[in-house]
C-alpha cells in the first residue's frame, strides 16, 4: 500500500467530536450508541488508510471521540505499520480536572503516540479552537462525530469546510456517516 498522495506526501486526517456528556451513551462505552460510533469510526479510519492513502492521524486527546479514535488508530497500526498517530494537546493542563482513570488513559495514549504537539502552554478560552485549527490546517481530511447542534465540533466542521477540505461526519443521533464537501 502506498502512503503517499498525488502530491507525493503522506496524507493526514484528524478527528473532531463530542465529549461523553454530549453523546447518547455518556461515559458508558458498552452502551449500544458508543459501540455503533466506534464501529463507524473504525470503518472510516480503515477506509482512509486503504482508499485515500492516509498514513498520519491527529487527535485532540480529549475525552470521548478523540480518545476512541486514538485507540482505534493504535489498534489499526498493528495491521498497517506505516500509520502514525499524533496527539494535538491544546494546553498542558488539558487533563488536570479529569478523574484519575481518565488521566491515566490520557497519559497512556500520549505515551503511545508517534508525536505529541502542545499548541500552547497555558489554558486560554480559545485554546481548544486553536488546537482544532492546527489539526485542520495540518490535515487533508477531517473525521467528525457530531450531533448537529452548535458546539466546538460544529465550529470545527464549519472551519474545515471554509478551508475547502472534506469532512466524514458520523451523526451521534442516528450513527449514519456522510461526506460533507465545501
Amino acid at each position: 500500500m502506498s502512503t503517499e498522495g498525488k502530491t507525493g506526501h503522506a496524507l493526514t486526517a484528524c478527528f473532531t467530536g463530542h465529549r461523553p456528556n454530549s453523546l447518547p451513551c455518556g461515559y458508558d462505552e458498552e452502551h449500544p450508541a458508543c459501540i455503533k460510533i466506534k464501529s463507524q469510526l473504525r470503518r472510516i479510519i480503515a477506509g482512509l488508510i486503504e482508499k485515500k492513502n492516509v498514513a498520519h492521524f491527529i487527535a485532540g486527546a480529549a475525552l470521548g471521540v478523540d480518545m476512541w479514535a486514538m485507540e482505534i488508530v493504535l489498534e489499526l497500526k498493528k495491521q498497517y505499520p506505516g500509520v502514525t498517530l499524533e496527539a494535538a494537546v491544546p494546553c498542558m493542563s488539558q487533563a488536570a480536572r479529569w478523574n484519575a482513570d481518565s488521566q491515566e488513559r490520557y497519559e497512556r495514549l500520549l505515551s503511545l503516540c508517534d508525536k505529541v504537539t502542545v499548541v500552547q502552554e497555558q489554558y486560554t478560552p480559545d485554546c481548544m479552537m486553536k488546537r482544532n485549527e492546527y489539526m485542520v490546517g495540518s490535515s487533508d481530511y477531517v473525521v467528525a462525530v457530531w450531533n448537529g447542534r452548535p458546539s466546538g465540533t460544529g465550529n470545527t466542521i464549519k472551519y474545515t469546510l471554509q478551508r475547502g477540505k472534506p469532512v466524514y461526519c458520523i451523526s451521534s443521533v442516528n450513527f449514519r456517516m456522510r461526506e460533507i464537501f465545501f
Side-chain angles (χ1 to χ4, degrees):
M1 176 194 77
S2 169
T3 58
E4 294 187 357
K6 292 177 184 171
T7 60
H9 71 282
L11 297 178
T12 300
C14 69
F15 304 98
T16 185
H18 297 297
R19 307 305 172 265
N21 59 338
S22 295
L23 294 168
C25 53
Y27 287 86
D28 179 6
E29 293 188 41
E30 300 303 317
H31 188 283
C34 183
I35 292 167
K36 287 178 185 176
I37 291 169
K38 287 182 180 184
S39 174
Q40 285 284 53
L41 277 170
R42 177 179 296 280
R43 202 176 99 209
I44 292 169
I45 295 166
L48 286 169
I49 295 167
E50 294 172 2
K51 296 177 181 149
K52 301 290 186 180
N53 297 320
V54 172
H56 185 67
F57 292 89
I58 308 171
L63 295 171
V65 172
D66 288 358
M67 286 189 173
W68 302 342
M70 291 173 80
E71 289 168 343
I72 292 166
V73 170
L74 289 167
E75 181 64 30
L76 288 173
K77 280 181 68 160
K78 296 171 188 169
Q79 185 178 347
Y80 305 99
V83 167
T84 57
L85 177 62
E86 175 182 354
V89 178
C91 63
M92 293 301 291
S93 61
Q94 172 168 272
R97 294 184 176 166
W98 299 353
N99 67 38
D101 288 342
S102 294
Q103 287 181 359
E104 183 180 309
R105 187 178 189 180
Y106 173 79
E107 292 299 331
R108 180 182 54 78
L109 287 171
L110 290 185
S111 75
L112 296 171
C113 286
D114 298 286
K115 178 180 179 183
V116 176
T117 301
V118 179
V119 175
Q120 63 186 50
E121 292 294 317
Q122 301 296 320
Y123 172 83
T124 59
D126 63 345
C127 69
M128 303 299 177
M129 194 61 200
K130 285 181 183 176
R131 183 255 337 258
N132 295 345
E133 289 171 357
Y134 163 77
M135 293 191 309
V136 170
S138 302
S139 297
D140 301 287
Y141 302 98
V142 174
V143 178
V145 177
W146 185 40
N147 61 16
R149 291 187 225 126
S151 62
T153 299
N155 291 341
T156 302
I157 291 170
K158 181 178 177 182
Y159 180 81
T160 303
L161 296 174
Q162 289 170 344
R163 267 113 211 101
K165 298 181 181 186
V167 178
Y168 294 92
C169 187
I170 301 166
S171 168
S172 64
V173 177
N174 63 19
F175 317 111
R176 292 193 180 113
M177 192 282 293
R178 65 185 173 116
E179 280 184 79
I180 306 172
F181 292 97
F182 46 99

